[in-house]
Coordinates of all heavy atoms in Angstrom, one line a residue:
V87 N -46.3 -112.7 81.4 CA -45.4 -113.8 81.6 C -46.2 -115.1 81.2 O -47.3 -115.3 81.6 CB -44.9 -114.0 83.0 CG1 -44.1 -115.3 83.2 CG2 -44.1 -112.8 83.4
T88 N -45.6 -116.0 80.4 CA -46.2 -117.2 80.0 C -45.3 -118.3 80.6 O -44.1 -118.2 80.5 CB -46.3 -117.4 78.5 OG1 -47.1 -116.3 78.0 CG2 -46.8 -118.7 78.1
E89 N -45.9 -119.4 81.1 CA -45.1 -120.5 81.6 C -45.3 -121.7 80.8 O -46.4 -122.0 80.4 CB -45.5 -120.8 83.1 CG -44.9 -119.8 84.1 CD -44.8 -120.4 85.5 OE1 -45.6 -121.3 85.8 OE2 -44.0 -119.9 86.2
L90 N -44.2 -122.5 80.6 CA -44.4 -123.8 79.9 C -43.6 -124.8 80.7 O -42.5 -124.5 81.2 CB -44.1 -123.7 78.4 CG -42.7 -123.3 78.0 CD1 -42.4 -124.0 76.7 CD2 -42.7 -121.8 77.8
P91 N -44.0 -126.0 80.7 CA -43.3 -127.1 81.4 C -42.0 -127.4 80.7 O -41.9 -127.5 79.5 CB -44.2 -128.3 81.4 CG -45.5 -127.8 80.9 CD -45.3 -126.5 80.1
S92 N -40.9 -127.5 81.5 CA -39.6 -127.8 80.9 C -39.7 -129.1 80.2 O -38.9 -129.3 79.2 CB -38.6 -128.0 82.1 OG -38.4 -126.8 82.7
A93 N -40.6 -130.0 80.6 CA -40.6 -131.3 79.9 C -41.1 -131.2 78.4 O -40.8 -132.1 77.6 CB -41.6 -132.2 80.6
E94 N -41.7 -130.1 78.1 CA -42.1 -129.8 76.7 C -40.9 -129.4 75.8 O -41.0 -129.3 74.6 CB -43.2 -128.8 76.6 CG -44.5 -129.3 77.0 CD -45.6 -128.2 76.8 OE1 -45.3 -127.2 76.1 OE2 -46.7 -128.4 77.4
L95 N -39.8 -129.2 76.4 CA -38.6 -128.7 75.7 C -37.3 -129.5 76.0 O -36.4 -129.0 76.6 CB -38.3 -127.2 76.1 CG -39.0 -126.1 75.2 CD1 -38.5 -124.8 75.6 CD2 -38.6 -126.3 73.7
P96 N -37.3 -130.7 75.5 CA -36.1 -131.5 75.6 C -35.1 -130.9 74.6 O -35.4 -130.0 73.8 CB -36.5 -132.9 75.1 CG -37.7 -132.7 74.3 CD -38.4 -131.5 74.8
P97 N -33.8 -131.2 74.6 CA -32.8 -130.7 73.7 C -33.3 -130.8 72.2 O -33.9 -131.9 71.9 CB -31.6 -131.5 73.9 CG -31.7 -131.9 75.4 CD -33.1 -132.1 75.6
R98 N -33.1 -129.8 71.4 CA -33.5 -129.7 70.0 C -35.0 -129.6 69.7 O -35.4 -129.6 68.6 CB -32.9 -130.9 69.2 CG -31.4 -131.0 69.2 CD -30.9 -132.0 68.2 NE -29.5 -132.0 68.2 CZ -28.7 -132.7 69.1 NH1 -29.3 -133.4 70.1 NH2 -27.4 -132.7 69.0
A99 N -35.8 -129.3 70.8 CA -37.2 -129.1 70.6 C -37.5 -127.6 70.4 O -36.7 -126.7 70.8 CB -38.0 -129.6 71.8
V100 N -38.5 -127.3 69.6 CA -39.0 -125.9 69.4 C -40.5 -125.9 69.7 O -41.2 -126.8 69.2 CB -38.8 -125.5 67.9 CG1 -39.2 -124.1 67.7 CG2 -37.4 -125.8 67.4
V101 N -40.9 -124.9 70.5 CA -42.4 -124.8 70.7 C -42.8 -123.4 70.5 O -42.1 -122.4 70.8 CB -42.8 -125.2 72.1 CG1 -42.5 -126.7 72.4 CG2 -42.1 -124.4 73.2
P102 N -44.0 -123.2 69.9 CA -44.6 -121.8 69.8 C -45.2 -121.4 71.2 O -45.7 -122.2 71.9 CB -45.7 -122.0 68.8 CG -46.1 -123.5 68.8 CD -44.9 -124.2 69.3
V103 N -45.0 -120.2 71.5 CA -45.6 -119.6 72.7 C -46.2 -118.2 72.4 O -45.7 -117.5 71.6 CB -44.6 -119.5 73.9 CG1 -44.0 -120.8 74.4 CG2 -43.4 -118.5 73.5
E104 N -47.2 -117.9 73.2 CA -47.8 -116.6 73.0 C -47.5 -115.8 74.3 O -47.8 -116.3 75.4 CB -49.3 -116.7 72.8 CG -49.9 -115.4 72.4 CD -51.4 -115.5 72.1 OE1 -51.8 -116.4 71.3 OE2 -52.2 -114.8 72.8
V105 N -46.9 -114.6 74.2 CA -46.6 -113.8 75.4 C -47.2 -112.4 75.1 O -46.9 -111.8 74.1 CB -45.1 -113.7 75.6 CG1 -44.8 -112.9 76.8 CG2 -44.5 -115.1 75.7
D106 N -48.1 -112.0 76.0 CA -48.7 -110.7 75.8 C -49.4 -110.5 74.5 O -49.3 -109.5 73.8 CB -47.7 -109.5 76.0 CG -47.2 -109.5 77.5 OD1 -47.8 -110.1 78.3 OD2 -46.1 -108.8 77.7
G107 N -50.0 -111.6 74.0 CA -50.7 -111.5 72.7 C -49.8 -111.6 71.5 O -50.3 -111.5 70.3
E108 N -48.5 -111.7 71.7 CA -47.6 -111.8 70.5 C -47.0 -113.2 70.4 O -46.8 -113.9 71.4 CB -46.4 -110.9 70.7 CG -46.8 -109.4 70.9 CD -47.2 -108.8 69.6 OE1 -46.8 -109.2 68.5 OE2 -48.0 -107.8 69.6
E109 N -46.7 -113.7 69.2 CA -46.3 -115.0 69.0 C -44.8 -115.1 68.9 O -44.1 -114.4 68.2 CB -46.9 -115.6 67.7 CG -48.4 -115.8 67.8 CD -49.0 -116.6 66.7 OE1 -49.1 -116.1 65.6 OE2 -49.2 -117.8 66.9
Y110 N -44.2 -116.1 69.6 CA -42.8 -116.4 69.6 C -42.6 -117.9 69.5 O -43.5 -118.7 69.6 CB -42.2 -115.9 71.0 CG -42.3 -114.4 71.2 CD1 -43.4 -113.9 71.7 CD2 -41.3 -113.6 70.8 CE1 -43.5 -112.5 71.9 CE2 -41.4 -112.2 71.0 CZ -42.5 -111.7 71.5 OH -42.6 -110.3 71.7
V111 N -41.3 -118.2 69.4 CA -40.9 -119.6 69.6 C -39.8 -119.7 70.6 O -39.1 -118.7 70.8 CB -40.4 -120.3 68.3 CG1 -41.5 -120.5 67.2 CG2 -39.2 -119.5 67.7
V112 N -39.8 -120.8 71.4 CA -38.7 -121.0 72.3 C -38.1 -122.4 71.9 O -38.9 -123.3 71.6 CB -39.3 -121.1 73.8 CG1 -38.2 -121.5 74.7 CG2 -39.9 -119.7 74.2
W113 N -36.8 -122.5 71.9 CA -36.2 -123.7 71.6 C -35.1 -124.0 72.7 O -34.7 -123.2 73.4 CB -35.6 -123.7 70.2 CG -34.3 -122.9 70.1 CD1 -33.0 -123.3 70.2 CD2 -34.2 -121.5 69.7 NE1 -32.2 -122.3 69.9 CE2 -32.9 -121.2 69.6 CE3 -35.2 -120.6 69.4 CZ2 -32.4 -119.9 69.2 CZ3 -34.8 -119.3 69.0 CH2 -33.4 -119.0 69.0
R114 N -34.7 -125.3 72.7 CA -33.6 -125.7 73.6 C -32.5 -126.3 72.7 O -32.8 -127.2 71.9 CB -34.0 -126.7 74.6 CG -32.9 -126.9 75.7 CD -33.2 -128.0 76.7 NE -34.4 -127.8 77.5 CZ -34.5 -127.1 78.6 NH1 -33.5 -126.4 79.0 NH2 -35.6 -127.1 79.3
G115 N -31.4 -125.7 72.8 CA -30.2 -126.1 72.0 C -29.7 -127.5 72.5 O -30.1 -128.0 73.5
A116 N -28.8 -128.0 71.7 CA -28.3 -129.4 72.0 C -27.5 -129.4 73.3 O -27.5 -130.4 74.0 CB -27.3 -129.8 70.8
T117 N -27.0 -128.2 73.7 CA -26.2 -128.2 75.0 C -27.1 -127.8 76.1 O -26.7 -127.7 77.3 CB -25.1 -127.1 74.9 OG1 -25.7 -125.8 74.8 CG2 -24.2 -127.4 73.7
G118 N -28.4 -127.6 75.9 CA -29.4 -127.4 77.0 C -29.8 -125.9 77.1 O -30.7 -125.6 77.9
V119 N -29.1 -125.0 76.4 CA -29.4 -123.6 76.6 C -30.8 -123.3 75.9 O -31.2 -124.0 75.0 CB -28.4 -122.7 75.9 CG1 -27.0 -122.8 76.7 CG2 -28.2 -122.9 74.5
L120 N -31.4 -122.2 76.4 CA -32.7 -121.9 75.8 C -32.6 -120.7 74.9 O -31.8 -119.8 75.2 CB -33.7 -121.5 76.9 CG -34.1 -122.6 77.8 CD1 -34.9 -122.1 79.1 CD2 -35.0 -123.7 77.1
G121 N -33.3 -120.6 73.8 CA -33.3 -119.5 72.9 C -34.8 -119.1 72.6 O -35.7 -119.9 72.8
S122 N -35.0 -117.9 72.1 CA -36.3 -117.5 71.7 C -36.2 -116.5 70.5 O -35.2 -115.9 70.3 CB -37.0 -116.8 72.9 OG -36.2 -115.6 73.3
A123 N -37.3 -116.4 69.8 CA -37.4 -115.5 68.6 C -38.9 -115.3 68.3 O -39.7 -116.0 68.7 CB -36.7 -116.2 67.4
P124 N -39.2 -114.2 67.7 CA -40.5 -114.0 67.1 C -40.8 -115.2 66.2 O -39.9 -115.7 65.6 CB -40.4 -112.7 66.3 CG -39.3 -112.0 66.9 CD -38.3 -113.0 67.3
R125 N -42.1 -115.6 66.2 CA -42.5 -116.8 65.5 C -42.3 -116.7 64.0 O -42.0 -117.7 63.3 CB -43.9 -117.2 65.8 CG -44.3 -118.5 65.2 CD -45.6 -119.0 65.7 NE -46.0 -120.2 65.0 CZ -47.0 -121.0 65.3 NH1 -47.7 -120.7 66.4 NH2 -47.3 -122.1 64.6
R126 N -42.5 -115.5 63.5 CA -42.3 -115.3 62.0 C -40.9 -115.0 61.7 O -40.3 -114.0 62.2 CB -43.3 -114.3 61.5 CG -44.7 -114.7 61.6 CD -45.1 -115.8 60.6 NE -46.2 -116.6 61.1 CZ -46.6 -117.7 60.5 NH1 -46.0 -118.1 59.4 NH2 -47.6 -118.4 61.0
C127 N -40.3 -115.7 60.8 CA -38.9 -115.4 60.3 C -38.8 -114.0 59.8 O -39.6 -113.6 59.0 CB -38.5 -116.4 59.3 SG -36.8 -116.2 58.7
P128 N -37.8 -113.2 60.2 CA -37.6 -111.9 59.7 C -37.3 -111.8 58.2 O -37.4 -110.7 57.6 CB -36.5 -111.3 60.6 CG -35.7 -112.5 61.0 CD -36.7 -113.6 61.2
H129 N -36.9 -112.9 57.6 CA -36.6 -112.9 56.2 C -37.9 -112.8 55.4 O -38.2 -111.8 54.8 CB -35.7 -114.1 55.8 CG -35.4 -114.2 54.4 ND1 -35.4 -115.3 53.7 CD2 -35.1 -113.2 53.5 CE1 -35.1 -115.1 52.4 NE2 -34.8 -113.8 52.3
L130 N -38.6 -113.9 55.3 CA -39.8 -113.9 54.5 C -41.0 -114.6 55.2 O -41.8 -115.3 54.6 CB -39.6 -114.6 53.2 CG -38.7 -113.8 52.2 CD1 -38.4 -114.6 50.9 CD2 -39.4 -112.5 51.8
D131 N -41.0 -114.4 56.6 CA -42.2 -114.8 57.3 C -42.5 -116.3 57.5 O -43.6 -116.7 57.9 CB -43.5 -114.1 56.8 CG -43.5 -112.7 57.1 OD1 -42.7 -112.2 58.0 OD2 -44.3 -112.0 56.5
W132 N -41.5 -117.2 57.2 CA -41.8 -118.6 57.4 C -42.0 -118.8 58.9 O -41.5 -118.1 59.7 CB -40.7 -119.5 56.9 CG -40.7 -119.6 55.4 CD1 -40.8 -118.6 54.4 CD2 -40.6 -120.8 54.6 NE1 -40.8 -119.2 53.2 CE2 -40.7 -120.5 53.3 CE3 -40.5 -122.2 55.0 CZ2 -40.6 -121.5 52.3 CZ3 -40.4 -123.1 54.0 CH2 -40.5 -122.8 52.7
D133 N -42.7 -119.9 59.2 CA -43.1 -120.2 60.6 C -41.9 -120.8 61.3 O -41.5 -122.0 61.0 CB -44.3 -121.1 60.6 CG -44.8 -121.4 62.0 OD1 -44.2 -120.9 63.0 OD2 -45.8 -122.1 62.1
L134 N -41.3 -120.2 62.3 CA -40.1 -120.7 62.9 C -40.5 -121.9 63.9 O -39.6 -122.5 64.4 CB -39.3 -119.6 63.7 CG -38.6 -118.6 62.7 CD1 -37.9 -117.5 63.5 CD2 -37.6 -119.3 61.8
A135 N -41.8 -122.1 64.1 CA -42.2 -123.3 64.9 C -41.8 -124.6 64.1 O -41.7 -125.6 64.7 CB -43.6 -123.3 65.2
E136 N -41.6 -124.4 62.8 CA -41.2 -125.5 61.9 C -39.7 -125.6 61.8 O -39.2 -126.5 61.0 CB -41.8 -125.4 60.5 CG -43.2 -124.9 60.5 CD -44.2 -126.1 60.5 OE1 -44.0 -127.0 59.7 OE2 -45.0 -126.2 61.4
A137 N -39.0 -124.7 62.4 CA -37.5 -124.7 62.2 C -36.8 -125.8 62.9 O -37.4 -126.5 63.7 CB -37.0 -123.3 62.7
S138 N -35.6 -126.1 62.5 CA -34.8 -127.1 63.2 C -33.7 -126.5 64.1 O -33.3 -125.4 63.8 CB -34.3 -128.1 62.2 OG -33.8 -127.5 61.1
V139 N -33.3 -127.3 65.1 CA -32.3 -126.8 66.0 C -31.0 -127.5 65.6 O -31.0 -128.8 65.5 CB -32.6 -127.1 67.4 CG1 -31.5 -126.7 68.3 CG2 -33.9 -126.4 67.8
V140 N -30.0 -126.8 65.3 CA -28.7 -127.3 64.9 C -27.7 -126.8 65.9 O -27.5 -125.6 66.0 CB -28.2 -126.9 63.5 CG1 -26.9 -127.4 63.1 CG2 -29.3 -127.3 62.5
E141 N -27.1 -127.7 66.7 CA -26.3 -127.3 67.8 C -27.2 -126.5 68.7 O -28.2 -126.9 69.2 CB -25.0 -126.7 67.4 CG -24.1 -127.8 66.6 CD -22.8 -127.3 66.2 OE1 -22.4 -126.1 66.4 OE2 -22.1 -128.0 65.5
D142 N -26.8 -125.2 69.0 CA -27.7 -124.4 69.8 C -28.5 -123.3 69.0 O -29.1 -122.5 69.6 CB -26.8 -123.6 70.9 CG -26.4 -124.6 72.0 OD1 -27.0 -125.6 72.2 OD2 -25.4 -124.2 72.7
E143 N -28.4 -123.4 67.7 CA -29.1 -122.4 66.9 C -30.4 -122.9 66.3 O -30.5 -124.1 65.9 CB -28.1 -122.0 65.7 CG -26.9 -121.3 66.2 CD -25.9 -121.0 65.2 OE1 -26.1 -121.4 64.0 OE2 -24.8 -120.4 65.5
L144 N -31.3 -122.0 66.1 CA -32.5 -122.3 65.3 C -32.3 -122.0 63.9 O -31.8 -120.9 63.5 CB -33.6 -121.4 65.9 CG -35.0 -121.8 65.4 CD1 -35.5 -123.2 66.0 CD2 -36.0 -120.7 65.8
V145 N -32.6 -122.9 63.0 CA -32.4 -122.7 61.6 C -33.7 -122.8 60.8 O -34.4 -123.8 60.8 CB -31.4 -123.7 61.0 CG1 -31.1 -123.5 59.5 CG2 -30.1 -123.7 61.8
C146 N -34.0 -121.7 60.2 CA -35.3 -121.6 59.4 C -35.3 -122.5 58.2 O -34.3 -122.6 57.5 CB -35.5 -120.1 58.9 SG -37.1 -119.9 58.0
V147 N -36.4 -123.2 58.1 CA -36.5 -124.2 56.9 C -36.7 -123.4 55.6 O -36.5 -124.0 54.5 CB -37.6 -125.2 57.1 CG1 -37.3 -126.2 58.2 CG2 -39.0 -124.6 57.3
G148 N -37.1 -122.2 55.7 CA -37.3 -121.4 54.4 C -36.0 -121.3 53.6 O -35.9 -121.9 52.5
H149 N -35.1 -120.5 54.1 CA -33.8 -120.3 53.3 C -32.6 -120.3 54.2 O -31.6 -119.7 53.9 CB -34.0 -118.9 52.6 CG -35.3 -118.7 52.0 ND1 -36.4 -118.1 52.7 CD2 -35.8 -119.1 50.8 CE1 -37.5 -118.2 51.9 NE2 -37.2 -118.8 50.8
G150 N -32.7 -120.9 55.4 CA -31.6 -121.3 56.2 C -31.0 -120.2 57.0 O -29.9 -120.3 57.5
W151 N -31.8 -119.1 57.3 CA -31.2 -118.1 58.2 C -31.2 -118.8 59.6 O -32.0 -119.6 59.9 CB -32.2 -116.9 58.4 CG -32.1 -115.9 57.2 CD1 -31.7 -116.2 55.9 CD2 -32.4 -114.5 57.3 NE1 -31.7 -115.0 55.2 CE2 -32.1 -114.0 56.0 CE3 -32.8 -113.7 58.3 CZ2 -32.3 -112.6 55.7 CZ3 -33.0 -112.3 58.0 CH2 -32.8 -111.8 56.7
S152 N -30.1 -118.4 60.4 CA -29.9 -119.0 61.7 C -30.1 -118.0 62.8 O -29.8 -116.8 62.5 CB -28.5 -119.6 61.8 OG -28.3 -120.6 60.8
F153 N -30.4 -118.4 63.9 CA -30.6 -117.5 65.1 C -30.0 -118.1 66.3 O -30.2 -119.3 66.6 CB -32.1 -117.3 65.3 CG -32.9 -116.9 64.1 CD1 -33.5 -117.8 63.3 CD2 -32.9 -115.6 63.7 CE1 -34.1 -117.5 62.1 CE2 -33.6 -115.2 62.6 CZ -34.2 -116.1 61.7
D154 N -29.1 -117.3 67.0 CA -28.5 -117.9 68.2 C -29.4 -117.5 69.4 O -30.4 -116.9 69.3 CB -27.1 -117.4 68.3 CG -26.9 -116.0 68.7 OD1 -27.9 -115.3 69.0 OD2 -25.7 -115.5 68.6
C155 N -28.9 -117.9 70.6 CA -29.7 -117.7 71.8 C -29.6 -116.2 72.3 O -30.2 -115.9 73.4 CB -29.2 -118.6 72.9 SG -29.5 -120.4 72.4
H156 N -28.9 -115.4 71.6 CA -28.8 -114.0 72.1 C -29.4 -113.0 71.1 O -29.1 -111.8 71.2 CB -27.3 -113.6 72.2 CG -26.5 -114.6 73.1 ND1 -26.7 -114.7 74.4 CD2 -25.7 -115.6 72.7 CE1 -25.9 -115.7 74.9 NE2 -25.3 -116.3 73.9
G157 N -30.2 -113.5 70.2 CA -31.0 -112.6 69.3 C -30.2 -112.2 68.1 O -30.6 -111.3 67.3
R158 N -29.0 -112.9 67.9 CA -28.3 -112.6 66.7 C -28.8 -113.5 65.5 O -29.0 -114.7 65.7 CB -26.8 -112.8 66.9 CG -26.2 -111.7 67.8 CD -24.7 -111.8 67.9 NE -24.4 -113.0 68.7 CZ -23.8 -113.0 69.9 NH1 -23.5 -111.8 70.5 NH2 -23.6 -114.1 70.6
A159 N -28.9 -112.9 64.3 CA -29.4 -113.6 63.2 C -28.3 -113.5 62.1 O -27.6 -112.5 62.0 CB -30.6 -113.0 62.6
F160 N -28.2 -114.6 61.3 CA -27.2 -114.6 60.3 C -27.5 -115.7 59.3 O -28.3 -116.6 59.5 CB -25.8 -114.8 60.8 CG -25.6 -115.8 61.9 CD1 -25.4 -117.1 61.6 CD2 -25.9 -115.4 63.2 CE1 -25.3 -118.0 62.6 CE2 -25.8 -116.4 64.2 CZ -25.5 -117.7 63.9
K161 N -26.9 -115.6 58.1 CA -27.0 -116.6 57.1 C -25.6 -117.2 56.8 O -24.7 -116.5 56.6 CB -27.6 -116.0 55.8 CG -27.5 -116.8 54.6 CD -28.6 -117.7 54.4 CE -28.4 -118.6 53.1 NZ -29.6 -119.2 52.7
R162 N -25.5 -118.5 56.9 CA -24.3 -119.2 56.6 C -24.4 -119.6 55.1 O -25.3 -120.3 54.7 CB -24.1 -120.4 57.4 CG -23.9 -120.2 58.9 CD -23.7 -121.5 59.6 NE -23.9 -121.4 61.0 CZ -22.9 -120.8 61.9 NH1 -21.8 -120.4 61.4 NH2 -23.2 -120.8 63.1
T163 N -23.4 -119.2 54.3 CA -23.5 -119.5 52.9 C -22.9 -120.9 52.7 O -22.2 -121.4 53.6 CB -22.8 -118.5 52.0 OG1 -21.4 -118.6 52.4 CG2 -23.3 -117.1 52.2
E164 N -23.1 -121.5 51.5 CA -22.5 -122.8 51.3 C -21.0 -122.8 51.3 O -20.4 -123.8 51.6 CB -23.0 -123.3 49.9 CG -24.4 -123.9 50.0 CD -25.0 -124.3 48.6 OE1 -24.2 -124.5 47.7 OE2 -26.2 -124.4 48.6
S165 N -20.4 -121.6 51.0 CA -18.9 -121.6 51.0 C -18.4 -121.4 52.5 O -17.2 -121.3 52.7 CB -18.5 -120.4 50.2 OG -19.0 -119.2 50.7
G166 N -19.3 -121.3 53.5 CA -18.9 -121.1 54.8 C -18.8 -119.7 55.3 O -18.5 -119.5 56.5
R167 N -19.2 -118.7 54.4 CA -19.2 -117.4 54.9 C -20.4 -117.1 55.8 O -21.4 -117.8 55.6 CB -19.3 -116.5 53.6 CG -18.9 -115.0 53.9 CD -19.0 -114.2 52.6 NE -20.4 -114.1 52.2 CZ -20.9 -114.1 51.0 NH1 -20.1 -114.3 50.0 NH2 -22.2 -114.0 50.8
V168 N -20.2 -116.3 56.8 CA -21.4 -116.0 57.7 C -21.8 -114.5 57.5 O -21.0 -113.6 57.7 CB -20.9 -116.2 59.2 CG1 -22.1 -115.8 60.1 CG2 -20.5 -117.6 59.4
D169 N -23.0 -114.3 57.0 CA -23.5 -113.0 56.7 C -24.4 -112.6 57.8 O -25.5 -113.1 58.0 CB -24.3 -112.9 55.4 CG -23.4 -113.1 54.2 OD1 -22.2 -112.9 54.3 OD2 -23.9 -113.5 53.1
P170 N -24.0 -111.6 58.7 CA -24.9 -111.1 59.7 C -26.2 -110.5 59.2 O -26.1 -109.8 58.2 CB -24.1 -110.1 60.5 CG -22.7 -110.2 60.0 CD -22.8 -110.8 58.6
K171 N -27.3 -110.6 59.9 CA -28.5 -110.0 59.6 C -28.9 -109.1 60.8 O -28.2 -109.2 61.8 CB -29.6 -111.0 59.3 CG -29.3 -112.0 58.2 CD -29.1 -111.3 56.9 CE -28.8 -112.4 55.8 NZ -28.6 -111.7 54.5
D172 N -30.0 -108.4 60.7 CA -30.4 -107.6 61.9 C -30.8 -108.4 63.1 O -31.3 -109.5 62.9 CB -31.6 -106.7 61.5 CG -31.3 -105.6 60.6 OD1 -30.1 -105.2 60.4 OD2 -32.2 -105.0 59.9
D173 N -30.4 -107.9 64.3 CA -30.8 -108.7 65.5 C -32.3 -108.8 65.6 O -33.1 -108.0 65.0 CB -30.3 -107.9 66.7 CG -28.8 -108.0 66.9 OD1 -28.2 -108.7 66.1 OD2 -28.3 -107.3 67.8
I174 N -32.7 -109.8 66.3 CA -34.2 -110.1 66.5 C -34.5 -109.9 68.0 O -33.7 -109.9 68.8 CB -34.6 -111.5 66.1 CG1 -33.7 -112.5 66.8 CG2 -34.4 -111.6 64.5 CD1 -34.3 -113.9 66.7
E175 N -35.8 -109.7 68.2 CA -36.3 -109.6 69.6 C -36.2 -110.9 70.3 O -36.5 -112.0 69.7 CB -37.8 -109.1 69.6 CG -38.3 -108.8 70.9 CD -39.9 -108.6 70.9 OE1 -40.4 -108.4 69.8 OE2 -40.5 -108.6 71.9
T176 N -35.9 -110.9 71.5 CA -35.9 -112.2 72.3 C -36.8 -112.0 73.5 O -37.1 -110.9 74.0 CB -34.5 -112.6 72.7 OG1 -33.9 -111.6 73.5 CG2 -33.6 -112.9 71.5
L177 N -37.1 -113.1 74.1 CA -37.8 -113.1 75.4 C -36.9 -113.3 76.6 O -35.8 -113.8 76.4 CB -38.8 -114.3 75.4 CG -39.9 -114.3 74.4 CD1 -40.6 -115.7 74.4 CD2 -40.9 -113.2 74.7
R178 N -37.3 -112.8 77.7 CA -36.6 -113.1 79.0 C -37.0 -114.5 79.4 O -38.2 -114.7 79.6 CB -36.8 -112.1 80.0 CG -36.0 -110.9 79.9 CD -36.1 -109.9 81.1 NE -37.4 -109.3 81.1 CZ -38.3 -109.5 82.1 NH1 -38.0 -110.3 83.1 NH2 -39.5 -108.9 82.0
L179 N -36.1 -115.4 79.5 CA -36.5 -116.8 79.9 C -35.8 -117.2 81.2 O -34.6 -117.0 81.3 CB -36.0 -117.8 78.7 CG -36.6 -117.5 77.4 CD1 -35.8 -118.4 76.3 CD2 -38.1 -117.9 77.3
E180 N -36.6 -117.7 82.1 CA -36.1 -118.2 83.4 C -36.6 -119.5 83.6 O -37.8 -119.7 83.6 CB -36.4 -117.2 84.5 CG -35.5 -116.0 84.4 CD -35.9 -115.0 85.5 OE1 -36.5 -115.4 86.5 OE2 -35.7 -113.8 85.2
E181 N -35.7 -120.5 83.9 CA -36.2 -121.9 84.2 C -35.9 -122.2 85.6 O -34.8 -122.1 86.1 CB -35.4 -122.8 83.2 CG -35.9 -124.2 83.4 CD -35.4 -125.1 82.2 OE1 -34.3 -124.8 81.7 OE2 -36.1 -126.1 81.8
S182 N -37.0 -122.7 86.3 CA -36.8 -123.2 87.7 C -38.0 -124.1 88.0 O -39.1 -124.0 87.5 CB -36.7 -122.1 88.7 OG -37.9 -121.4 88.7
D183 N -37.7 -125.1 88.8 CA -38.7 -126.0 89.3 C -39.5 -126.7 88.2 O -40.8 -126.9 88.4 CB -39.7 -125.3 90.3 CG -38.9 -124.8 91.6 OD1 -37.9 -125.5 91.9 OD2 -39.3 -123.8 92.1
G184 N -38.9 -127.0 87.1 CA -39.6 -127.7 86.0 C -40.5 -126.8 85.2 O -41.2 -127.4 84.3
F185 N -40.3 -125.5 85.3 CA -41.1 -124.6 84.4 C -40.2 -123.6 83.8 O -39.2 -123.2 84.4 CB -42.2 -123.9 85.2 CG -43.4 -124.9 85.4 CD1 -43.4 -125.6 86.5 CD2 -44.4 -125.0 84.5 CE1 -44.5 -126.5 86.8 CE2 -45.5 -125.8 84.7 CZ -45.5 -126.6 85.8
I186 N -40.5 -123.1 82.6 CA -39.8 -122.0 82.0 C -40.8 -120.8 81.9 O -41.9 -120.9 81.4 CB -39.4 -122.4 80.5 CG1 -38.5 -123.6 80.6 CG2 -38.8 -121.2 79.8 CD1 -38.4 -124.3 79.2
A187 N -40.4 -119.7 82.5 CA -41.2 -118.5 82.5 C -40.6 -117.6 81.3 O -39.4 -117.4 81.2 CB -41.0 -117.7 83.8
A188 N -41.5 -117.2 80.4 CA -41.2 -116.4 79.3 C -41.8 -115.0 79.4 O -43.0 -114.9 79.5 CB -41.6 -117.1 78.0
A189 N -41.0 -114.0 79.3 CA -41.6 -112.6 79.4 C -40.9 -111.7 78.3 O -39.8 -112.0 77.9 CB -41.3 -112.0 80.8
R190 N -41.7 -110.7 77.9 CA -41.1 -109.8 76.9 C -40.3 -108.7 77.6 O -40.5 -108.4 78.8 CB -42.3 -109.1 76.2 CG -43.1 -110.1 75.4 CD -44.3 -109.4 74.7 NE -43.8 -108.5 73.6 CZ -44.6 -107.6 73.1 NH1 -45.8 -107.4 73.6 NH2 -44.1 -106.8 72.2
Ligands
FES1121 S1 -38.1 -117.2 55.5 FE1 -36.7 -117.8 57.0 S2 -34.8 -117.8 56.0 FE2 -36.2 -117.1 54.5

């Protein structure tokens, strides 16, 4: 289990975390929900610590794949079509008393 202060994750922030020797990112969506993903994008390995948060989703700066807070991945095309991708691993996140506990 890795703990990080809630203050490091205001809405739309993304932080890299290491849990059990593996690298992940944790983000907070615009509505306050927490999401997590492996740090390397499943598409072509871009660093998701550089990704941006749009509403509650994390969006890779590489080629725009999006990740929701439940481990679902997809690509939104310019025409508005949503192409699902394989699910990704997520962390178990629990927030209390000003800290977020992240576990695999
Ligand atoms: S590397 Fe993330 S979308 Fe391509």
